Amino acid sequence: ARFSPDSARIVTASADGTARLWDGRSGTVLANCQGHQGPVLTAGFSPDGARIVTTGKDKTARLWDGRAGTPLGRVLEGHQGEVSAAAFSPDGARVVTASTDGTARLWDGRAGTLLSTLQGHQGPVTATGFSPDGALIITASKDRTARLWDGRSGTLLATLPGHTDEITATAFSADGARIVTASKDQTARLWDGRSGALLLTLQGHQGPVTAAALSADGARVVTTSTDRTARLWDGRSGALLSTLQGHASDLAAAEFSPDGARIVTASKDKTARLWDGRAG
């Protein structure tokens, strides 16, 4: 589930083969986005909220009107495996998709035409996204590497090696200066957002790290794990600040509030929890 940029709408993706558009205040259904030939894996808004991109097990991504939920006639076809993730560039002009076929693809965000195929990973691509200025794309893979690509040409710029198991998540900091990756090797890593050089390794979890996020100022990192904890780290030194304990099962996701004052975690124990973003 994702909010529109103005929080007026929510889009959800479901294994029932649909995405749904909801009123962000009342929770009423505004539209059903039907067209995928199988489970819809992800859904998200363009930066201006005018469009939605969905990804599916049917090996396609699709573009929709972000207010009416109607198809824009843009089916992004070509992947040979399920499309696991998608993201708009900050200006909305491009879309990047990640697939279990081992590639990412760069598309025109309006016309839906293929601009470039990002090839090089030796396993399924699990996550992708643009840097805040749109100049770079990050991809993460089960091949234990992340890769940096030119956000316009799709040219490979750097490979980020070092993890000893598949990478589960990746994200840029708000200023684009750093990248965080999470891995099943029980660590998260911080990298230079331009060169791809390794800056820090965050160690301490007793199970695979399932997600990681940076606060807007880059001063803190939150990670989640199957060890039933989240951990709060100093984003500069890598020192452990706090262990967030209380969930009764694996943690799947975490995110800072925009002002960094709170953290939300999601777990397989059927709860989400809100934490103090500084004290934990």
Side-chain angles (χ1 to χ4, degrees), residues 30 39 56 61 69 106 111 119-120 123 157 175 181 196 213 234 240 252 262 278:
L30 301 175
L106 188 61
Q119 295 177 299
L157 301 175
D175 61 3
T181 54
D234 185 287
L240 179 64
R262 289 169 294 162
R278 301 193 183 278

Side-chain angles (χ1 to χ4, degrees), residues 3-145:
F3 277 97
S4 62
D6 62 1
S7 299
R9 286 153 292 139
I10 296 165
V11 64
T12 56
S14 173
D16 70 6
T18 71
R20 294 193 180 211
L21 193 61
W22 313 77
D23 185 282
R25 302 293 177 186
S26 68
T28 55
V29 177
L30 301 175
N32 290 323
C33 305
Q34 294 179 300
H36 280 287
Q37 302 304 303
V40 183
L41 301 177
T42 67
F45 286 92
S46 60
D48 63 0
R51 284 163 294 149
I52 292 166
V53 62
T54 57
T55 69
K57 283 198 171 184
D58 63 3
K59 306 179 183 180
T60 73
R62 295 173 185 246
L63 293 173
W64 314 79
D65 185 283
R67 290 181 171 78
T70 52
L72 294 176
R74 311 289 192 266
V75 179
L76 312 183
E77 297 180 284
H79 280 297
Q80 300 303 303
E82 64 185 59
V83 184
S84 51
F88 282 96
S89 61
D91 62 2
R94 288 156 290 149
V95 174
V96 63
T97 54
S99 172
T100 58
D101 67 9
T103 72
R105 294 190 176 220
L106 188 61
W107 312 80
D108 184 289
R110 305 284 180 186
T113 52
L114 180 65
L115 301 175
S116 182
T117 300
L118 285 55
Q119 295 177 299
H121 281 295
Q122 301 303 305
V125 183
T126 54
T128 189
F130 284 90
S131 60
D133 63 2
L136 301 172
I137 292 168
I138 184 74
T139 56
S141 171
K142 288 188 176 183
D143 70 4
R144 307 179 181 183
T145 71

Side-chain angles (χ1 to χ4, degrees), residues 246-252 265-273:
H247 280 293
S249 188
D250 299 358
L251 276 75
T265 55
S267 170
K268 289 185 178 180
D269 69 8
K270 305 181 183 180
T271 72
R273 296 187 179 221

Side-chain angles (χ1 to χ4, degrees), residues 206-275:
Q206 301 303 304
V209 182
T210 53
L214 285 150
S215 61
D217 61 5
R220 286 156 293 142
V221 181
V222 63
T223 56
T224 65
S225 172
T226 60
D227 67 8
R228 302 184 180 185
T229 72
R231 294 189 179 224
L232 188 61
W233 313 81
D234 185 287
R236 306 297 176 187
S237 67
L240 179 64
L241 300 176
S242 183
T243 300
L244 285 56
Q245 295 176 301
H247 280 293
S249 188
D250 299 358
L251 276 75
E255 189 170 303
F256 283 95
S257 60
D259 63 1
R262 289 169 294 162
I263 294 167
V264 63
T265 55
S267 170
K268 289 185 178 180
D269 69 8
K270 305 181 183 180
T271 72
R273 296 187 179 221
L274 279 172
W275 312 79

